[in-house]
């Protein structure tokens, strides 16, 4: 798989750790990013994983950037793209060509977008969490694969709550991606289940 990141890369690091075990069933063939200078891309380089950078500002518009990103991903012919803390919206060039999953630090469909933890706190919810879902052409709107709830504590701030979410998120990501790789998956409308079927749409 190809993993896409924009920041610290703690979720990517958890996947890299899991992938050391051959029984896990996953090989990370490359890590891609939209920005240089992040801890995550350094960690990938230190681990000897191939990396690529597709900076948003280097392209005339979103469509050109999206096409460039899609082409770079395609060089590695991954079976799955994992957006793990990737902070830009992937458009039709990527989503139409690659099977991709995304993690999001809220219980979708609540609080989509770039500030999920802040938005959940501001709304006063008592329970939030994390979601892993397939990417479609909307924003955080694709079929949900798994979710884990995290209670909001009195006095939580954005960074403290996000750190607690990330602890359960890493576990969920490692578990779900491993199962997708080992068991395959079937998407039927909004419903995802593990296991392969023979129809053209499913793998
Ligand atoms: C994760 O919590 C992920 O869900 C979130 O960014 C964090 C990345 O952490 N993604 C989004 O908010 C996407 N909208 P990491 O870089 O330490 O893995």
């Amino acid at each position: 798989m190809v993993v896409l990141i924009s920041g610290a890369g703690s979720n990517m690091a958890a996947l890299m750790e899991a992938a050391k075990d051959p029984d896990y069933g996953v090989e990370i063939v490359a890590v891609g990013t939209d920005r240089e200078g992040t801890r995550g891309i350094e960690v990938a380089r230190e681990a000897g994983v191939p990396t690529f950078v597709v900076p948003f500002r280097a392209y005339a518009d979103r469509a050109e950037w999206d096409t460039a990103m899609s082409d770079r991903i395609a060089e590695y012919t991954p079976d799955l793209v994992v957006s793990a803390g990737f902070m830009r919206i992937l458009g039709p060039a990527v989503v139409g060509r690659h099977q991709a999953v995304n993690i999001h630090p809220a219980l979708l469909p609540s609080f989509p977008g770039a500030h999920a933890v802040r938005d959940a706190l501001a709304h006063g919810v008592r329970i939030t969490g994390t979601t892993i879902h397939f990417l479609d052409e909307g924003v955080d709107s694709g079929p949900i694969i798994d979710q884990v709830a995290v209670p909001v504590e009195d006095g939580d701030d954005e960074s403290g709550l996000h750190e607690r979410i990330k602890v359960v998120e890493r576990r969920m990501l490692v578990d779900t991606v491993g199962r997708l790789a080992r068991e395959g998956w079937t998407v039927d409308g909004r419903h995802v289940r593990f296991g392969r079927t023979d129809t053209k749409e499913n793998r």
Side-chain angles (χ1 to χ4, degrees):
M1 63 183 58
V2 165
V3 182
L4 301 180
I5 60 169
S6 297
S10 71
N11 282 281
M12 170 209 72
L15 281 175
M16 281 176 20
E17 188 57 34
K20 287 180 183 167
D21 178 355
D23 290 342
Y24 182 59
V26 167
E27 182 191 358
I28 298 171
V29 288
V31 172
T33 184
D34 58 327
R35 61 196 75 173
E36 268 294 359
T38 64
R39 180 70 195 128
I41 206 73
E42 265 176 46
V43 168
R45 285 182 183 135
E46 283 162 13
V49 177
T51 59
F52 61 91
V53 186
V54 188
F56 192 73
R57 287 202 195 89
Y59 296 87
D61 57 26
R62 178 170 289 282
E64 274 191 23
W65 171 80
D66 193 46
T67 300
M69 183 54 98
S70 180
D71 289 346
R72 292 307 307 273
I73 293 169
E75 288 173 25
Y76 297 94
T77 59
D79 296 315
L80 188 66
V81 175
V82 179
S83 159
F86 189 69
M87 298 307 286
R88 288 199 186 276
I89 297 161
L90 292 160
V94 171
V95 174
R97 186 172 178 189
H98 304 284
Q99 291 269 356
V101 298
N102 177 53
I103 48 169
H104 184 75
L107 295 175
L108 292 171
S110 292
F111 312 116
H115 307 292
V117 180
R118 190 190 308 171
D119 294 347
L121 270 177
H123 201 84
V125 295
R126 302 306 311 188
I127 296 175
T128 184
T130 178
T131 302
I132 182 165
H133 64 96
F134 279 107
L135 277 184
D136 64 9
E137 291 191 15
V139 177
D140 300 324
S141 56
I144 290 168
I145 310 167
D146 198 10
Q147 297 185 295
V148 180
V150 174
V152 179
E153 309 289 353
D154 291 340
D156 261 344
D157 62 10
E158 185 180 355
S159 70
L161 177 57
H162 199 169
E163 280 312 311
R164 285 211 315 287
I165 291 171
K166 282 169 72 165
V167 171
V168 300
E169 188 171 54
R170 287 190 284 266
R171 247 181 266 137
M172 178 189 72
L173 175 69
V174 167
D175 180 50
T176 302
V177 161
R179 287 196 67 187
L180 290 172
R182 293 187 303 273
E183 299 172 34
W185 63 86
T186 302
V187 181
D188 178 13
R190 291 219 44 96
H191 300 274
V192 180
R193 58 181 178 73
F194 295 106
R196 294 177 177 83
T197 59
D198 280 340
T199 67
K200 257 196 281 174
E201 284 162 36
N202 303 316
R203 297 186 174 183

